[in-house]
Amino acid sequence: MFENLKPTQTDPILGLMSAFRNDPRKEKIDLGVGVYMDDSGHTPVMKAVKAAEARLFDVEGTKSYQAIPGDALFNERMVRLLLGDGHEILTTGRLSTLQAPGGSGALRVGAELILRAKTDATIWIGTPSWPNHVPLLGGAGLSIRQYPYYDTNLREICVDAMMETLKLVPRGDVVLLHGCCHNPSGADLDPSHWDEITELALSRGFIPFIDIAYQGLGKGLEDDAYGIRTMASALPELIIASSCSKNFGLYRERTGSVTFISGSSSQADIVLSQAKAVARQMYSMPPAHGALLVGMILDNEELRRQWQSELEEVRCRILSMRSILVDQIKNNNAGINFEHIKRQSGMFSFLGISDQQLERLRKDFGIYIVSSTRINLAGINSTNIGYLAEAIKTVLH
Ligand code: LMR
């Protein structure tokens, strides 16, 4: 049977990760996979996470199964982190939340639930998007349509083209949106765009599916949630997939959540029972460790304060790398203007150079960048920034 299988293409992001690992050069720089690195190039365990792990070691009395929706404290605290403590939806009973295996698991549970509600459902995905969105959501069985999101020539969101396309989305279709820190462009919707898309969702009758994997890394924990909170107030139905990989640094613990907002509390109960069946058929119950830590951190004043201050450090370090990089490469012979990198948010921006220039960066300098020219700003630090800036200026020559 297996002889029928052909090799698949390597994942554009994860393939780059292993190519980087195998490169023996000391001066190599990893600007590929979206993982935070500190100024020494290390991906640390956050201190708040370490402290929670120490407490968990003492109090955890069992490794028995969790329930299918995962840890109740985690689910409750995640919803409050996403929607804000005082959000009016919290008391309506219209929410159903499940812990999920990472942001990817949350997206997949969301997709499978949509298909249970509508077997021929279509999801609209902005271009460009995270390269795994189409395989993950399309692989579940959703039909994929696309809407224009980012203009690589103008280096900004193509708002008019996006809105024109969204005006054509039929009732009952789903529209994928990035909550903040757009991956791969770093170009985020501003509040007026969110308001307009919310109006469109109401008038057209489409259902937004918000993927938020970077809350706190863009403009801050509260501002990054503007879109989610606005849509949760205004719309009868909404899906939110969230990840704790980046903002809690829990990548390998596969910690995320999926929240469904339904038209009524009785509907929400049915959604939860269906989502539990989805999870049972795919993985039964999610891994506990990361969620127990996040629940503990968000529920404890001291740990939460510690976590927020570390997260703010992460956010500010990325912002400062954006600005230093742009200043160091602005006087380039090709006359390319990189100011968009300063304006954008989160871990990523497009460098916007040619394929040949990108290839030279990798071959001649050991600088690893995803083929779309997406760079992870968190891979830059005070030691490698001079080398990186010179290398970029050299290949632009
Ligand atoms: C990324 O976009 O680099 C991250 O979200 C990691 C991944 O799984 O692709």
Side-chain angles (χ1 to χ4, degrees), residues 153-227:
N153 294 321
L154 296 177
R155 297 168 184 232
E156 58 191 28
I157 302 176
C158 39
V159 180
D160 293 344
M162 170 177 69
M163 295 300 179
E164 283 314 307
T165 308
L166 293 182
K167 279 180 195 156
L168 304 174
V169 174
R171 173 168 296 277
D173 278 9
V174 179
V175 173
L176 185 76
L177 297 160
H178 295 229
C180 64
C181 305
H182 185 264
N183 180 3
S185 73
D188 279 346
L189 298 170
D190 69 27
S192 69
H193 303 140
W194 280 109
D195 294 347
E196 199 175 334
I197 298 173
T198 305
E199 284 302 315
L200 276 178
L202 266 178
S203 62
R204 298 290 312 168
F206 63 72
I207 297 118
F209 187 165
I210 305 180
D211 181 6
I212 180 156
Y214 297 84
Q215 188 183 1
L217 276 83
K219 298 198 167 50
L221 276 175
E222 305 303 316
D223 288 352
D224 288 348
Y226 180 88

Side-chain angles (χ1 to χ4, degrees), residues 108 111-112 115 123 125 132-144:
R108 187 63 180 236
E112 299 282 346
L115 286 162
I123 187 160
I125 299 182
N132 203 29
H133 271 145
V134 169
L136 195 160
L137 300 167
L142 290 171
S143 302
I144 308 283

Side-chain angles (χ1 to χ4, degrees), residues 29 32 122 126 162 169 173 201 247 251 273 283 323 330 393 395:
I29 304 177
T122 295
M162 170 177 69
V169 174
D173 278 9
N247 54 5
Y251 310 90
S273 73
Y283 54 79
S323 151
K330 69 176 166 212
K393 290 210 281 198
V395 303

Side-chain angles (χ1 to χ4, degrees), residues 45-67:
V45 182
M46 289 175 128
K47 292 193 188 76
V49 167
K50 274 284 185 205
E53 276 183 320
R55 290 182 195 198
L56 188 59
F57 183 78
D58 286 338
V59 299
E60 189 174 43
T62 182
K63 292 285 186 191
S64 179
Y65 294 124
Q66 297 203 104

Side-chain angles (χ1 to χ4, degrees), residues 124-151:
W124 294 69
I125 299 182
T127 54
S129 200
W130 179 48
N132 203 29
H133 271 145
V134 169
L136 195 160
L137 300 167
L142 290 171
S143 302
I144 308 283
R145 299 280 307 266
Q146 296 189 317
Y147 64 89
Y149 182 80
Y150 184 78
D151 185 325

